[in-house]
């Protein structure tokens, strides 16, 4: 799910001075959201787990860690995403390097991975295509969880493929994940797959959430798709059948209020047994269908 995140502070950002303790750093947070962000940033700055922070309140912050924390906390208070500040985001229990130029993986997208893994376990799926892979979160999670898969992952953004390639090597799956530059299915020419999965842009241009929180810092091309947010979903649904084997499956993540529209798109494209699954917040999030 794409969310705006917490708004930045408008007040001056307090900076810790030399000799400050872990407890003093933790006391900077004014609410629950800030406490969560602050623990992540302080743990990153000190290279310590969150549990350590809670039991070492009297520990003085070392100079290098203090400087890292002050810079990161100032960035967060200005609205910068925590994932961009630390350079990392966990997804499906795996560490992913992220940064400006690629979408930050969200927990609700894990549903896309879980559904794909269920389908792979119930059939003879071997070749999977991930469209718009970004940091590689979906494709690489599938490769780690199911080593028998050969996965092709595409993206039209060079910056995104840099992150995906970096993550594929870090997770040890670069030999089973082929990264291809190109827009949607144009990137794979006449090739066919057993399953196609995608988390494409689906926010409507002009949506006010785009000017709030984390979304202000993420690439617009990875977020928006036309006046109604359905442009890329339409293109993928229309062109996917030519790239699926008989009985192949298409899975698409979409906005919470787009389920009916995406079910209609898959039906018009010739998919059968079309259904929509709900995310962790019980919102309609992933629609899938089988090619006749």
């Amino acid at each position: 799910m794409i969310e705006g995140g917490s708004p930045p502070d408008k007040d001056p950002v307090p900076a810790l001075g030399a000799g400050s303790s872990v407890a003093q750093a933790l006391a900077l947070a004014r609410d629950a959201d800030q406490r969560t962000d602050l623990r992540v940033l302080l743990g990153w700055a000190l290279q310590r787990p969150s549990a350590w922070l809670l039991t070492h309140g009297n520990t003085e912050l070392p100079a290098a860690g203090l400087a890292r924390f002050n810079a990161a906390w100032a960035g967060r208070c200005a609205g910068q995403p925590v994932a961009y500040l630390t350079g990392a985001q966990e997804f499906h229990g795996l560490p992913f390097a992220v940064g400006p130029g690629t979408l930050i993986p969200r927990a609700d997208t894990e549903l896309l991975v879980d559904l794909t893994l269920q389908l792979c376990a119930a059939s003879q799926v071997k070749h999977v295509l991930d469209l718009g892979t970004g940091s590689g979160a979906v494709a690489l999670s599938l490769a780690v969880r199911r080593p028998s898969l050969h996965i092709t992952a595409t993206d039209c953004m060079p910056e995104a493929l840099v992150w995906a390639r970096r993550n594929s090597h870090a997770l040890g799956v670069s030999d089973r994940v082929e990264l291809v530059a190109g827009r949607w299915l144009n990137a794979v020419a006449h090739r066919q797959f057993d399953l196609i999965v995608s988390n494409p842009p689906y926010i409507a241009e002009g949506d006010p959430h785009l000017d709030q929180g984390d979304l202000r810092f993420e690439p617009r091309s990875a977020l928006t798709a036309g006046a109604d947010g359905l442009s890329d979903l339409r293109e993928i649904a229309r062109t996917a059948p030519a790239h699926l084997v008989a009985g192949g499956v298409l899975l698409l993540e979409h906005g919470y209020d787009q389920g009916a529209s995406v079910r209609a798109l898959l039906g018009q494209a010739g998919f059968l047994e079309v259904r929509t699954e709900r995310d962790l917040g019980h919102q309609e999030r992933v629609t899938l269908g089988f090619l006749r």
Side-chain angles (χ1 to χ4, degrees):
M1 178 167 56
I2 305 296
E3 298 174 340
S6 301
D9 281 340
K10 294 182 179 179
D11 300 324
V13 180
L16 295 174
S20 296
S21 68
V22 168
Q24 289 174 309
L26 294 175
L28 293 175
R30 294 201 303 262
D31 56 39
D33 287 340
Q34 277 201 344
R35 278 194 294 275
T36 298
D37 293 345
L38 191 148
R39 286 175 184 170
V40 171
L41 293 174
L42 183 59
W44 166 80
L46 301 178
Q47 298 184 325
R48 297 283 189 176
S50 294
W52 184 91
L53 302 176
L54 299 177
T55 57
H56 291 76
N58 293 326
T59 300
E60 181 178 320
L61 302 180
L66 175 63
R68 278 160 58 92
F69 171 73
N70 276 334
W73 185 237
R76 182 54 183 158
C77 289
Q80 295 179 46
V82 170
Y84 284 177
L85 292 166
T86 63
Q89 176 69 30
E90 182 179 297
F91 179 83
H92 215 266
L94 299 170
F96 284 87
V98 296
T102 187
L103 191 71
I104 299 169
R106 266 73 170 183
D108 285 323
T109 302
E110 293 180 2
L111 175 62
L112 206 56
V113 175
D114 293 336
L115 291 171
T116 301
L117 290 173
Q118 291 171 20
L119 289 165
C120 291
S123 62
Q124 298 300 313
V125 172
K126 293 294 183 182
H127 298 278
V128 174
L129 173 64
D130 175 29
L131 295 171
T133 196
S135 64
V138 171
L140 304 182
S141 295
L142 292 172
V144 170
R145 304 304 184 204
R146 197 169 181 86
S148 62
L149 294 177
H150 178 79
I151 299 169
T152 302
T154 75
D155 206 293
C156 64
M157 299 289 291
E159 300 93 335
L161 289 175
V162 170
W163 290 106
R165 186 167 292 107
R166 175 179 173 182
N167 286 318
S168 72
H169 286 285
L171 293 169
V173 295
S174 58
D175 60 327
R176 290 185 287 108
V177 179
E178 177 189 4
L179 297 173
V180 181
R183 175 179 170 80
W184 304 131
L185 288 145
N186 292 333
V188 292
H190 304 292
R191 295 170 61 183
Q192 288 190 315
F193 302 85
D194 301 311
L195 186 148
I196 297 175
V197 61
S198 183
N199 174 23
Y202 53 74
I203 299 179
E205 294 174 357
D207 188 308
H209 291 95
L210 293 167
D211 296 319
Q212 301 174 12
D214 292 0
L215 297 186
R216 294 171 301 147
F217 295 85
E218 296 181 85
R220 285 293 171 97
S221 62
L223 295 168
T224 62
D228 60 1
L230 293 169
S231 295
D232 291 325
L233 287 160
R234 286 193 188 94
E235 180 176 343
I236 295 170
R238 176 178 55 82
T239 56
H243 296 271
L244 282 168
V245 301
V249 192
L250 174 65
L251 298 95
L252 296 173
E253 179 172 335
H254 50 73
Y256 74 95
D257 57 350
Q258 295 172 328
S261 297
V262 178
R263 288 193 293 275
L265 290 174
L266 266 61
Q268 293 164 11
F271 288 91
L272 302 175
E273 300 179 49
V274 176
R275 69 177 190 271
T276 301
E277 301 287 346
R278 295 179 181 270
D279 62 20
L280 298 172
H282 304 291
Q283 303 282 2
E284 291 193 330
R285 187 60 56 190
V286 175
T287 294
L288 61 94
F290 297 79
L291 190 65
R292 60 171 61 129

